[in-house]
Amino acid sequence: MDELQQKKQMLIQTYKRFTRRELSPIDMQIDQDGMYPVGLFNKVVATGLLSTTLPREYGGAGFDFNATSDALRIMATGNASMAVTLEGHFKTIEQFIKYGNKQLNDKHLPSASQRIFAFSMTEPSGGSNPLGISTIAKKVGDDWVISGDKIMITNGGLAQVYCILCKTDDDQMAVFVVDKDMPGFSFGKKEDFIGLRGTPVGEVVLNKVRVPGYHLLGKVGQGLEIGDNAHADARVLMGAVLAGITEHALNVAVDYSKERKAMDTLLFQMQVTQEKIADIAIKRQNIVNLYRSAANNKVANKPYRELAAMAKSYGSRAAVISGDEALQILGGYGYSREYPVEHLIRDARAMELAEGTIEKMNIEITNAEIAK
Ligand SMILES: Cc1cc2nc3c(=O)[nH]c(=O)nc-3n(C[C@H](O)[C@H](O)[C@H](O)COP(=O)(O)OP(=O)(O)OC[C@H]3O[C@@H](n4cnc5c(N)ncnc54)[C@H](O)[C@@H]3O)c2cc1C
């Protein structure tokens, strides 16, 4: 095993241990309380998980998406909310690495092992059409003054640094970095979503927030490109989370089918159950193959957007169907909050919407195929 593989194994072991000790035992509690227990996020920071993808020059562990996506899959087999919290952070850091100027990155990235970063595009008027946003950035001297309202932001309220997609006063798209402590920044409504109930998702309000010129990510006019890139990165990692959710459903269904009898036959010995278990296992493996293909292409600097869209489009539908099949294997207990399967369906369902709806991804996949 080469050094890279050894380091990856250590990362996987760290995520496995953290998931087994800190997340799996409270997975149901997180769903029922609709929040992380006090102190859990501090443990995530103390274990160094926020710095997984952060480049070494900024004090991070510098893992690529190949290792990181596998680590998030493992975490999601225990708790998908925390895996999505980390996905939101990692995809945002990725945009600093690709588009950030030196002054911006030197100021912000060293703190990314302690502080969560978030990416904000959606507004009350809609998320699928970023050209329709009304958040405005006006140039004042060397600074920019930003006003607008972003909703449904993953880690909204928990994150301390926000990338904000804006329109400039000359009608170009641009992304600016805003710290939560800047004058004029405030948090609004927290969403009461039906799934991923640990992940905070909320509103960010900007009332004439003044940022220095170097807080521009990339260039003016690059806003949509950066947003699309953030989506693609997020979709690779969400594919991994979806594989983890599907594996969680599979584990519950398999365990139950080995204990429960229908008449005198254990469920797993019955063909109707075998068909469902096999279908869930095949779906799990298909999602793994898709997100790994996307991650490998990204790491190799090859095109990965279409594969990333496939991982999340296929993965979200497959995870929801798998959860439903697992529910059926558990019978009435599957429909009960006593077992985790029902919340796995609700968790997976979020990813048919977040980071681009399934319809938008399928348009992108079709366009990519037509262009070949
Ligand atoms: C759990 C969760 C986390 C999220 N995190 C973030 C985040 O971190 N940052 C962020 O910016 N946003 C985030 N969002 C918001 C998410 O990106 C939007 O919900 C999504 O983009 C859809 O926008 P919308 O809800 O306004 O729906 P709309 O855009 O109003 O779409 C409504 C329906 O119309 C369909 N539709 C729209 N346009 C088309 C089209 N051209 N062709 C075909 N069908 C179309 C959609 O697919 C959908 O079914 C999150 C959402 C969720 C649920």
Side-chain angles (χ1 to χ4, degrees), residues 10 24 26 47 52 85 89 110 138 146 159 162 184 201 212 243 248 250 271 277 292 294 312 328 335 349 353 356:
M10 281 167 61
S24 295
I26 56 166
T47 310
T52 305
T85 282
H89 178 61
K138 289 188 179 159
I146 302 170
Y162 292 82
V201 181
H248 192 167
L250 180 64
Q271 197 177 355
I277 288 177
R292 280 199 180 144
K312 194 170 88 74
Q328 196 67 16
Y335 196 61
R349 193 64 179 78
L353 300 162

Side-chain angles (χ1 to χ4, degrees), residues 28 31-32 252 256 260 323-346:
M28 306 271 284
D31 177 68
Q32 278 156 22
V252 175
Y256 191 84
R260 180 78 168 183
D324 195 49
E325 285 179 316
L327 186 154
Q328 196 67 16
I329 291 172
L330 268 67
Y333 289 119
Y335 196 61
S336 160
R337 283 178 186 269
E338 254 181 73
Y339 283 81
V341 174
E342 58 84 26
H343 91 67
L344 298 179
I345 301 172
R346 290 186 276 112

Side-chain angles (χ1 to χ4, degrees), residues 2-67:
D2 65 19
E3 199 191 341
L4 197 67
Q5 284 302 318
Q6 278 176 3
K7 284 196 177 142
K8 179 175 172 183
Q9 278 313 310
M10 281 167 61
L11 180 78
I12 298 293
Q13 286 312 321
T14 303
Y15 271 76
K16 259 192 191 152
R17 210 167 30 246
F18 189 85
T19 302
R20 192 177 61 242
R21 288 185 189 159
E22 307 293 349
L23 295 177
S24 295
I26 56 166
D27 176 55
M28 306 271 284
Q29 182 199 325
I30 289 173
D31 177 68
Q32 278 156 22
D33 293 353
M35 62 170 76
Y36 299 132
V38 175
L40 180 63
F41 184 67
N42 292 342
K43 289 180 186 170
V44 168
V45 175
T47 310
L49 302 186
L50 290 191
S51 63
T52 305
T53 59
L54 187 64
R56 290 173 166 275
E57 61 189 293
Y58 296 108
F63 282 102
D64 63 22
F65 262 40
N66 181 306

Side-chain angles (χ1 to χ4, degrees), residues 88-328:
H89 178 61
F90 297 154
K91 71 121 190 262
T92 309
I93 290 178
E94 214 58 17
Q95 309 323 308
F96 279 76
I97 297 169
K98 183 160 182 186
Y99 296 102
N101 61 68
K102 185 166 173 1
Q103 197 177 357
L104 180 74
N105 287 358
D106 284 352
K107 179 177 171 189
H108 287 89
L109 288 184
S111 70
S113 55
Q114 312 282 323
R115 308 197 299 166
I116 286 259
F117 289 32
F119 205 95
S120 317
M121 296 171 68
T122 305
E123 300 193 357
S125 59
S128 298
N129 176 20
L131 287 172
I133 63 167
S134 9
T135 296
I136 181 102
K138 289 188 179 159
K139 190 123 172 69
V140 180
D142 289 339
D143 296 348
W144 292 87
V145 176
I146 302 170
S147 294
D149 187 3
K150 297 288 179 185
I151 60 163
M152 298 188 197
I153 306 308
T154 298
N155 296 323
L158 178 66
Q160 305 201 34
V161 177
Y162 292 82
C163 293
I164 310 283
L165 180 70
C166 303
K167 266 188 188 159
T168 58
D169 35 12
D170 61 349
D171 214 25
Q172 299 200 69
M173 306 297 279
V175 174
F176 292 91
V177 174
V178 174
D179 292 54
K180 81 167 182 50
D181 295 327
M182 287 176 152
F185 182 102
S186 61
F187 294 121
K189 179 185 163 206
K190 182 178 182 262
E191 296 297 339
D192 186 13
F193 279 156
I194 61 167
L196 295 175
R197 288 186 49 76
T199 319
V201 181
E203 182 181 14
V204 161
V205 182
L206 302 120
N207 183 10
K208 296 187 184 155
V209 177
R210 189 170 185 136
V211 300
Y214 69 88
H215 274 224
L216 171 67
L217 199 58
K219 296 183 185 141
V220 171
Q222 255 186 329
L224 277 191
E225 178 193 324
I226 299 172
D228 283 349
N229 203 67
H231 271 156
D233 290 339
R235 291 168 185 177
V236 178
L237 300 178
M238 278 194 168
V241 173
L242 289 158
I245 293 175
T246 308
E247 178 138 351
H248 192 167
L250 180 64
N251 292 341
V252 175
V254 165
D255 288 349
Y256 191 84
S257 73
K258 290 198 282 195
E259 305 269 331
R260 180 78 168 183
K261 283 184 176 169
M263 319 268 223
D264 286 335
T265 312
L266 285 164
L267 289 185
F268 84 88
Q269 293 169 322
M270 300 171 73
Q271 197 177 355
V272 281
T273 311
Q274 290 164 358
E275 277 171 15
K276 292 186 184 70
I277 288 177
D279 190 53
I280 300 171
I282 292 167
K283 286 188 165 61
R284 185 270 322 266
Q285 198 54 42
N286 282 337
I287 309 172
V288 169
N289 293 345
L290 279 171
Y291 87 70
R292 280 199 180 144
S293 301
N296 288 340
N297 272 20
K298 176 176 161 66
V299 172
N301 275 323
K302 292 182 184 165
Y304 65 99
R305 280 197 188 168
E306 186 186 6
L307 283 166
M310 286 177 173
K312 194 170 88 74
S313 174
Y314 173 83
S316 55
R317 205 76 282 270
V320 169
I321 294 168
S322 297
D324 195 49
E325 285 179 316
L327 186 154
Q328 196 67 16

